Amino acid sequence: MNSSEDSLAPARGGDEDAFRLIFEQNSRFIMRFIYGMVGEREQAAELMQETFLRAYRNINSFQPNTKLSTWLCAIAKNVVRESLRARRREHGNLQLDDDAVAELSDAERLLDELVLDEELRRVIHDALAELSEDKRLVFTLKILQQRSYEEIAEITGFSVAKLKSDVHRAKIEMRERIRPYL
Amino acid sequence: MRCEENQEMLEAYVEGELDEGAQARVASHLSTCGVCAGLQHQLERELNLFSLYLLDVNPSASAWDALRVKIDQEKAAEQASAITTTAFAAATTARPPLWAAFQRAFSSPSFALACSLLIVACAIVYVLSRAGGGTNVGGENDVARLVPATPAIVEKLAPPVEEKTARHQTATGATGATRRNSIAGASTTSARSEDDSQRVTSRRMRSGAVVSRSVTKRRTAAGPGDSRLEDGDPDEAVSDDVASGDALLHKAEQQYQAAIAKLKLDAARRRIEPDVLAQFEKSLVAVNSTIARTQRAVREHPGDLTAAQYMLAAYSKKVDVLIEMTRH
C-alpha cells in the first residue's frame, strides 16, 4: 500500500492500520492548513484530531473521484470554521492567539530561528489574523501550501475567479505588512 | 513580450499557474530583462518566506495514538448504542408502541370483548350504586321504608306513571309536612300534586331516577293493571333493583369468564419465554385467589356494591394479564 487512496478500501472496512496510513500521509498538510487558519498550535492539533475523527466516521461517504487530501482539507475547513465561529461567540471578534508564538518551547524556538526569524513569524502571524476568514483560507491554501486553484475551489466551494481575486487582495495586504522585513 | 505584459503574468508564473506556452514566454522575457527578473526574485522570496511560516508546524508524535483512543471510544459508544437499539427494538417488538398496541388490541376479538365487559361492569356498578344495593347510601332507602306512600294517595296522584313511581323516591326525600299534607285529603291534592311533581323532578335530577326507571320498566312489562306495581311498595322495588343488579353482575361475571377462556386459548398459542411465563403464571395465581375471595364476598353479601366492584376489578385484572400474555 503506497498511497492514501490505496488505503481507502481497507479503511472503509474498518481497518485501523489502513486509516493510520491515511493519517500519516495527510496529517502534516492538514495540521499546517489548520495552523495557518487559527495560528495556535495546540488548537490546531485538537482541530486536526477532530478532522480525522470526522473523516473516520464518514469515510464511506468519500467520493472516489475526489482527491483524498482535498476531501480531508474540506473537512478541516469546516472544522476550523465551526471553531472560529464558536470562539467568536465566546470572545467577540477573534484575534489569533499571540501567546502561541510566545509560548514556543526552546526546541521549537531553535528550529524557528533556523527557518524564520521570530519577529518575522509574528508579523506574518498577525498579518494573517488581520485577513478576512475567506482571504485567510485561500491565502493559506494557495500561498502557504501551494495548492492549485482547482483543488482550492474543490475544498472551499468557491469559484476559481473568486479565489484568484481573494488571493490577489490577500497578497497585497500581506505584502504591505511584511514589506519592511523583506 | 513587453515588460508590462510579463509583469501581469509574473505572479502566476511564480505560483506555477501558467500553461507551458505562457510559462516559456515569460521565462524567455525574464532571461533578457533585469527589471522583470528582479521582480520575479522578490516574488519568489516572498513566497519562500510564507512557505517557511508553516515549515515547523507538524503533528506531534503522539497525534495518532490520541486519535486512536478517540476512535476506540467512538467504536465502544457505537457498540453500546447498537446494543441499546437492538434491545429497544426487541422490547418494542414485544411491547409495541401505544398506537401499534392499540391497533393490535382492537384487531383481537378477545380484547374487544374484554372492553365491552368493562363497559357492562361500569353500568352494573352504576346501577348498584343508584339502587343502594342494600347499603345506606345517603340513607334514602331507609327513609323510603319508613315512609311508604299509601295506595290511596298514590292512586290519586297516579297518572303519569313516571311521576307515580318517582313518588316513592320523592317520599324518601320529602319533608314530613309534604307527607302530612298528602294524607290530609284530596282537596289539596292537585295543588300538592304539582308541588310534588316539581319535587319529583328535582329529586330525579339529583338521584338520576334509576330506581324509577327500573320500576317503570317492570310496570311496562307487567301492564297498567298490575296493582303491585301501581301501589309501588318501595321495599319491593329496591329488592327488585338489587335482584336486577345481581343478575347483571352474574351476567358480567359469565362474560368475563368467557373472555378469559378465549384469552387463555390465545395465550396458550404464544411462545413465551419460560421465565416470563413463570411471572405471568405467578400473577394469574394471585389474581385467581383475589377472584375467589371476592366471589365469596359477593355471594355472602348480595347487592354489596363494594364486593361487586372488587370482584369485577379482579376479573378485569385477569383479563389484563391474559391480554399481556397474548402480546408476547
Side-chain angles (χ1 to χ4, degrees):
Chain A
M1 257 184 273
N2 297 320
S3 72
S4 297
E5 271 75 7
D6 292 336
S7 306
L8 255 172
R12 280 177 163 174
D15 183 340
E16 274 191 22
D17 287 338
F19 191 73
R20 179 179 187 157
L21 196 65
I22 291 173
F23 175 81
E24 285 173 352
Q25 290 178 343
N26 293 278
S27 58
R28 181 174 296 174
F29 160 58
I30 296 298
M31 176 78 179
R32 288 178 177 178
F33 163 68
I34 294 172
Y35 178 78
M37 291 298 292
V38 301
E40 202 262 299
R41 285 170 197 259
E42 198 178 327
Q43 193 194 359
E46 282 173 16
L47 298 182
M48 181 191 69
Q49 190 184 69
E50 175 62 22
T51 298
F52 279 96
L53 202 57
R54 286 191 194 183
Y56 183 82
R57 277 183 213 141
N58 299 298
I59 198 151
N60 288 317
S61 67
F62 172 74
Q63 301 295 316
N65 56 349
T66 311
K67 212 172 150 187
L68 186 60
S69 61
T70 303
W71 181 66
L72 289 169
C73 194
I75 296 172
K77 178 208 73 178
N78 291 335
V79 168
V80 165
R81 288 202 151 165
E82 284 167 24
S83 170
L84 292 176
R85 273 189 218 116
R87 292 187 90 182
R88 263 198 294 272
R89 277 198 298 272
E90 284 171 21
H91 308 293
N93 208 13
L94 176 73
Q95 293 294 317
L96 295 190
D97 189 355
D98 291 344
D99 294 341
V101 178
E103 288 173 3
L104 291 174
S105 68
D106 289 345
E108 283 172 330
R109 278 175 197 279
L110 187 61
L111 178 63
D112 211 44
E113 282 160 9
L114 290 174
V115 294
L116 193 66
D117 175 76
E118 189 177 330
E119 194 178 352
L120 186 53
R121 166 177 280 282
R122 182 179 288 276
V123 169
I124 294 173
H125 178 273
D126 292 350
L128 272 173
E130 291 294 318
L131 291 179
S132 72
E133 199 178 303
D134 279 359
K135 283 182 195 159
R136 189 158 71 245
L137 176 65
V138 294
F139 185 86
T140 300
L141 287 168
K142 183 63 199 164
I143 306 300
L144 302 187
Q145 301 206 273
Q146 285 115 45
R147 297 280 150 168
S148 71
Y149 281 115
E150 286 70 26
E151 192 180 346
I152 299 170
E154 219 172 325
I155 291 167
T156 61
F158 298 154
S159 68
V160 171
K162 174 182 163 50
L163 292 175
K164 285 184 174 174
S165 166
D166 281 351
V167 166
H168 181 69
R169 287 174 187 166
K171 277 198 289 194
I172 290 171
E173 285 181 40
M174 292 295 287
R175 213 170 271 150
E176 278 176 10
R177 289 175 181 276
I178 65 165
R179 185 167 291 154
Y181 300 90
L182 289 173
Chain B
M1 179 182 271
R2 292 182 301 174
C3 288
E4 201 173 276
E5 187 188 354
N6 182 272
Q7 285 165 19
E8 279 177 10
M9 298 167 75
L10 205 52
E11 277 195 19
Y13 174 80
V14 171
E15 290 167 15
E17 290 291 332
L18 294 178
D19 60 44
E20 279 184 21
Q23 202 170 338
R25 288 202 301 278
V26 172
S28 169
H29 177 83
L30 288 173
S31 62
T32 57
C33 177
V35 177
C36 288
L39 277 174
Q40 177 211 357
H41 180 69
Q42 194 177 331
L43 287 173
E44 282 176 345
R45 194 169 166 227
E46 191 181 282
L47 266 185
N48 286 337
L49 197 67
F50 286 135
S51 62
L52 287 176
Y53 176 71
L54 294 178
L55 203 61
D56 69 321
V57 176
N58 293 302
S60 73
S62 62
W64 167 253
D65 292 333
L67 178 63
R68 184 160 195 161
V69 167
K70 285 261 182 186
I71 288 173
D72 290 344
Q73 282 173 350
E74 284 223 344
K75 273 185 178 174
E78 269 175 27
Q79 281 169 355
S81 169
I83 290 167
T84 310
T85 308
T86 309
F88 181 74
T92 49
T93 306
R95 289 187 172 202
L98 190 60
W99 175 241
F102 191 72
Q103 285 180 314
R104 190 187 281 189
F106 275 93
S107 66
S108 154
S110 305
F111 185 77
L113 180 60
C115 286
S116 62
L117 281 173
L118 278 176
I119 292 165
V120 170
C122 289
I124 290 167
V125 168
Y126 182 75
V127 167
L128 287 174
S129 67
R130 288 306 172 190
T135 56
N136 294 322
V137 181
E140 290 180 357
N141 290 319
D142 290 344
V143 176
R145 287 188 197 100
L146 290 170
V147 191
T150 60
I153 295 168
V154 173
E155 285 265 349
K156 284 176 185 172
L157 293 174
V161 173
E162 280 285 326
E163 285 185 17
K164 186 177 168 189
T165 47
R167 173 167 284 282
H168 294 303
Q169 288 298 96
T170 311
T172 66
T175 61
T178 306
R179 188 173 64 84
R180 282 191 300 277
N181 287 340
S182 299
I183 297 167
S187 61
T188 55
T189 301
S190 59
R192 279 197 305 274
S193 174
E194 195 176 336
D195 180 49
D196 285 350
S197 178
Q198 286 172 352
R199 288 169 193 275
V200 165
T201 308
S202 159
R203 175 154 196 86
R204 285 168 69 188
M205 283 173 70
R206 275 185 280 131
S207 69
V210 175
V211 174
S212 300
R213 275 200 299 274
S214 168
V215 174
T216 305
K217 191 177 174 184
R218 292 198 307 278
R219 176 189 175 81
T220 309
D226 189 327
S227 63
R228 183 176 63 88
L229 285 172
E230 282 176 10
D231 291 348
D233 178 356
D235 282 338
E236 193 181 345
V238 169
S239 65
D240 283 351
D241 285 332
V242 171
S244 169
D246 281 346
L248 276 171
L249 183 63
H250 182 63
K251 191 178 174 188
E253 202 180 345
Q254 283 180 326
Q255 285 178 318
Y256 263 124
Q257 284 165 350
I260 285 165
K262 275 195 170 186
L263 285 166
K264 272 183 177 173
L265 283 175
D266 279 359
R269 288 193 204 106
R270 304 279 168 185
R271 285 183 184 172
I272 304 173
E273 302 90 314
D275 52 335
V276 179
L277 186 62
Q279 289 296 320
F280 277 128
E281 283 173 350
K282 199 175 169 185
S283 299
L284 285 172
V285 167
V287 174
N288 286 339
S289 165
T290 309
I291 289 173
R293 281 201 310 275
T294 53
Q295 273 176 333
R296 269 199 307 277
V298 168
R299 307 291 176 248
E300 287 166 11
H301 306 283
D304 187 322
L305 175 64
T306 309
Q309 279 177 323
Y310 274 112
M311 188 183 76
L312 294 175
Y315 274 118
S316 174
K317 181 66 188 167
K318 187 167 181 178
V319 167
D320 287 347
V321 173
L322 288 167
I323 286 171
E324 195 64 30
M325 285 178 79
T326 62
R327 288 177 185 165
H328 270 73

